[in-house]
Amino acid sequence: MQAVLTNNVNVQSEYNLDQTLERLFGDLDTADNMTKNAIENDIVKFGASAVDFLVNKVRTAKGAQRGVAAMSLIRIGEDSIKPLKDVAIKDMSFQWIANYLIREISGR
């Protein structure tokens, strides 16, 4: 059973947001492409409230999880820029990734 929330995104009242996002990201490892797209869409619906979690995922995850986290930050847009910059200042090895994502968000 997949944890896709497409028709039930208002799970914040039932579950902690981080727990919900962890569950969604865990499902990515075995998901087909259509399910991965649905999971990404669900993650993006959380908007700015998911950004800190997503920035951490980009830093720590590999494979599909990292890709979905990065694309979700890009799709969330402007709300992702400051958290990306803040982490890049503290983590020099993350700067190139943050700069790339910020350029994608800014369209530059």
Side-chain angles (χ1 to χ4, degrees):
M1 181 164 115
Q2 297 297 325
V4 178
L5 303 173
T6 302
N7 295 321
N8 188 20
V9 174
N10 190 16
V11 296
Q12 288 177 312
S13 60
E14 291 181 43
Y15 301 102
N16 177 301
L17 177 60
D18 284 352
Q19 290 172 330
T20 300
L21 291 169
E22 282 293 349
R23 184 168 47 93
L24 288 168
F25 272 88
D27 287 346
L28 287 170
D29 294 331
T30 58
D32 60 27
N33 284 337
M34 194 152 80
T35 303
K36 285 178 187 175
N37 290 339
I39 290 171
E40 181 182 311
N41 288 337
D42 288 339
I43 292 166
V44 171
K45 290 176 185 175
F46 289 108
S49 61
V51 168
D52 290 338
F53 178 92
L54 294 170
V55 170
N56 187 52
K57 271 296 180 195
V58 169
R59 290 180 61 231
T60 60
K62 303 282 186 227
Q65 288 191 15
R66 188 178 201 183
V68 168
M71 186 55 70
S72 296
L73 287 166
I74 291 167
R75 290 180 59 198
I76 290 169
E78 293 291 322
D79 289 330
S80 300
I81 293 176
K82 184 179 179 333
L84 284 165
K85 286 181 178 179
D86 290 347
V87 173
I89 289 169
K90 298 173 190 171
D91 182 353
M92 298 292 280
S93 66
F94 183 68
Q95 285 183 352
W96 75 269
I97 298 168
N99 287 336
Y100 173 79
L101 294 172
I102 290 166
R103 279 193 308 273
E104 288 295 312
I105 293 165
S106 302
R108 297 180 201 166

